[in-house]
Amino acid sequence: MTKDELISLAKQARERAYIPYSKFGVGAAVLTKSGNVYQGCNIENAAYPVTCCAERTAIFQAIANGEKEFAEIAVVANTERPVPPCGSCRQVMAEFFTPEAVIHISNMHGNSKSITMEELLPFSFQPDDLFSDEGAAK
C-alpha cells in the first residue's frame, strides 16, 4: 500500500466523523504489519472527555480484530498544515508502534509529511517504565 492510498483511506474515514460540536473532522487509516488496513474517524460526545480521536478509533478497531503490530498510519484533517496527532493519540501509538513506524500527517489540501514514531514522540512512556528494579515482575 502506498502512502497516497493510505492517506486516501484516511480521507474517506474523515467523511464518517461524528462531529456535532466542534465540526472538526479527522480521519485515520492504519496499516498493520500483516497488511490489513483499519479506518477510524473522530467521534465526539457531549461529555467532551469521552470523545475518541480518529487515530485511536482506527488503532482500537485493529486491536479488536486481533492486530497488535502496526507499520504505518495516515491522519488527515482540514487544516492549513498537515495535522499532527494529539498527545493522547501519540501515547497510544507509542504503546503499539515501533520507533521506526511511519506516521503520515496530512491535510485536505494535499500537503503531507512523513515522520517516524520516534520523531513524533521522543522519549515516550513505555510499558517497561511501569516496573521498577525493586522486584516488580516484568
Side-chain angles (χ1 to χ4, degrees):
M1 166 142 316
T2 69
K3 168 185 153 181
D4 290 338
E5 290 170 329
L6 200 60
I7 290 171
S8 179
L9 289 169
K11 286 180 179 178
Q12 288 175 13
R14 180 184 170 276
E15 296 302 316
R16 296 187 295 273
Y18 177 74
I19 51 172
Y21 310 107
S22 73
K23 310 293 188 226
F24 183 72
V26 181
V30 64
L31 174 65
T32 65
K33 288 189 177 178
S34 66
N36 294 318
V37 176
Y38 296 88
Q39 295 171 295
C41 58
N42 53 323
I43 303 167
E44 295 180 344
N45 190 281
Y48 287 170
V50 296
T51 292
C52 194
C53 298
E55 300 92 309
R56 286 181 283 147
T57 302
I59 293 166
F60 294 164
Q61 180 164 329
I63 292 167
N65 280 281
E67 304 272 5
K68 291 190 180 66
E69 296 183 350
F70 301 94
E72 301 177 43
I73 189 169
V75 184
V76 177
N78 191 17
T79 51
E80 289 300 313
R81 65 179 182 153
V83 66
C86 74
S88 295
C89 289
R90 291 176 194 212
Q91 184 57 49
V92 168
M93 292 162 66
E95 178 91 9
F96 296 101
F97 289 45
T98 65
E100 302 81 26
V102 179
I103 317 305
H104 306 290
I105 58 175
S106 186
N107 64 17
M108 297 300 289
H109 311 292
N111 302 322
S112 67
K113 181 176 182 172
S114 298
I115 56 177
T116 65
M117 187 64 227
E118 178 66 27
E119 291 170 312
L120 182 65
L121 186 60
F123 200 64
S124 64
F125 188 81
Q126 293 291 310
D128 286 348
D129 295 325
L130 295 172
F131 303 102
S132 71
D133 59 355
E134 299 167 359
K138 285 192 174 187

